[in-house]
């Protein structure tokens, strides 16, 4: 039974991290490009709206659920260190928890809060918007790659379990 539970945990972790990676990838490659093509006033207004709308059960469930699964997988890996794939499980957990979850908390949320305080119509908001798009998008690449690498590590852990 423990084998089925741990397999299911790692599989769910891989899928959740992959889902979040896809969301971040779509933002980096599509949404932010579209927003940066708008006038600063329109771009700020749209991103402010997105930052409010994204606080919903679907996104937070995936984002926070992936973090909970990664944490559980990391704990499992540490407590079952000799199990095949444990190192890959721990790597996947750390990549998601640090590179996606904590990165979002420490890097993106403060920038989103600063953007929320901008007046889209104020002339002084243009440069902060241009800086936000550049820096936020670069930071989003980090969490997209970390989430994707996390998913890949969980998949390698699954393969290792099968081979071991």
């Amino acid at each position: 039974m423990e084998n089925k539970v741990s397999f299911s945990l790692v599989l769910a972790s891989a899928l959740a991290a992959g889902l979040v990676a896809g969301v971040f990838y779509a933002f980096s490659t599509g949404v932010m490009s579209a927003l940066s093509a708008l006038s600063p006033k329109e771009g700020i207004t749209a991103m402010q709206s997105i930052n409010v709308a994204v606080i919903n059960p679907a996104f937070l469930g995936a984002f926070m659920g992936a973090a909970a699964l990664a944490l559980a997988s990391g704990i499992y890996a540490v407590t079952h260190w000799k199990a095949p794939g444990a190192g890959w499980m721990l790597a996947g957990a750390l990549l998601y928890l640090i590179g996606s979850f904590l990165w979002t908390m420490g890097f993106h949320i403060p920038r989103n809060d600063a953007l929320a305080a901008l007046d889209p119509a104020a002339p002084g908001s243009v440069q902060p918007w241009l800086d936000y798009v550049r820096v936020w998008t670069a930071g989003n690449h980090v969490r997209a790659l970390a989430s994707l690498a996390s998913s890949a590590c969980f998949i390698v852990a699954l393969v290792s379990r099968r081979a071991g």
Side-chain angles (χ1 to χ4, degrees), residues 21 77 130:
L130 297 175

Side-chain angles (χ1 to χ4, degrees), residues 11 19 23-24 28 34-35 42 67 83 98 100 104-105 119 122-123 130 139 144 148 151 154:
L11 178 60
L19 173 64
V23 170
F24 292 154
S28 283
L35 293 179
E42 293 169 323
I98 295 167
S100 183
T104 297
M105 298 302 130
D119 174 1
L130 297 175
L148 182 61
S151 181
F154 287 130

Side-chain angles (χ1 to χ4, degrees), residues 149-161:
S150 170
S151 181
C153 286
F154 287 130
I155 291 167
V156 172
L158 290 172
V159 171
S160 297
R161 293 167 54 91

Side-chain angles (χ1 to χ4, degrees), residues 95-159:
L95 279 163
Y96 188 84
L97 292 169
I98 295 167
S100 183
F101 185 78
L102 291 177
W103 186 256
T104 297
M105 298 302 130
F107 185 87
H108 285 89
I109 290 178
R111 283 162 178 75
N112 291 346
D113 290 345
L115 184 73
L118 285 181
D119 174 1
S125 295
V126 172
Q127 191 58 51
W129 168 247
L130 297 175
D131 293 341
Y132 174 91
V133 169
R134 181 180 46 79
V135 173
W136 191 98
T137 303
N140 197 56
H141 295 338
V142 170
R143 61 186 185 167
L145 287 171
S147 298
L148 182 61
S150 170
S151 181
C153 286
F154 287 130
I155 291 167
V156 172
L158 290 172
V159 171

Side-chain angles (χ1 to χ4, degrees), residues 60-75:
L60 289 178
F63 179 69
M64 302 293 283
L69 288 165
L71 180 61
S73 289
I75 290 168

Side-chain angles (χ1 to χ4, degrees), residues 50-91:
I50 289 168
N51 285 338
V52 171
V54 78
I55 307 302
N56 66 64
F59 175 75
L60 289 178
F63 179 69
M64 302 293 283
L69 288 165
L71 180 61
S73 289
I75 290 168
Y76 182 88
V78 169
T79 59
H80 295 81
W81 189 246
K82 294 189 187 236
W88 288 107
M89 288 173 65
L90 183 58

